[in-house]
Structure formats: C-alpha cells, structure tokens
Amino acid sequence: LCSPALRAVLDAQPRYLQLVVAAADGRIACGVRPVRPGDSIGDREYLRRALDRKAFATSGPIISRTTGQPAIAAAFPHLP
C-alpha cells in the first residue's frame, strides 16, 4: 500500500511530514514514515468529512499522531 510512488511524493515535498494509507474506520494501514501498530485517524474530523462528502478535505492545525509535530492534514477517499 505504501508504494515507492508515495515515497517519491514525500521525498519531492520536504515540507510534508508523512503520507499514510488508512482504512475507512481510520486504522492506519501503513505510512511512508514508520507508524505504530494500532495508530488511527478515525476520530479526526477531516477524515470523517472526506468520507461523508466523498471529497478531498483538510484539517485545521493539529498535532500529527505519527510524527508528533504540528501539521495540517488532508484526506482523499479512494472510491470504488
């Protein structure tokens, strides 16, 4: 899931902290940078909004669960 293509995006954008692939319930399947087993973004409002609206969504300022750093997150649902 976290392919070399995602790594290339992260490498090309030094301001990005992380790229993850998450299930619809928010469980993080993988991250380009390491993630802890059980990490989840399921309670993040931007993820719920992206899934509900079936559209790209961003957060306000947050603290990243995977890096511990201040961030603005974005979600884009993969729809069948």
Side-chain angles (χ1 to χ4, degrees):
L1 292 173
C2 286
S3 69
L6 288 180
R7 167 52 72 185
V9 171
L10 190 67
D11 289 345
Q13 299 296 329
R15 292 184 184 205
Y16 288 0
L17 294 175
Q18 172 71 290
L19 294 172
V20 301
V21 174
D25 66 0
R27 286 177 296 121
I28 297 175
C30 65
V32 174
R33 295 199 171 123
V35 296
R36 295 178 305 264
D39 274 352
S40 175
I41 56 173
D43 64 330
R44 298 289 199 177
E45 187 274 334
Y46 69 91
L47 176 66
R48 303 286 21 119
R49 191 167 13 95
L51 293 171
D52 291 346
R53 295 180 183 173
K54 299 178 173 60
F56 179 81
T58 60
S59 72
I62 61 169
I63 299 297
S64 168
R65 293 243 166 83
T66 62
T67 69
Q69 296 180 12
I72 293 176
F76 187 79
H78 178 273
L79 304 171

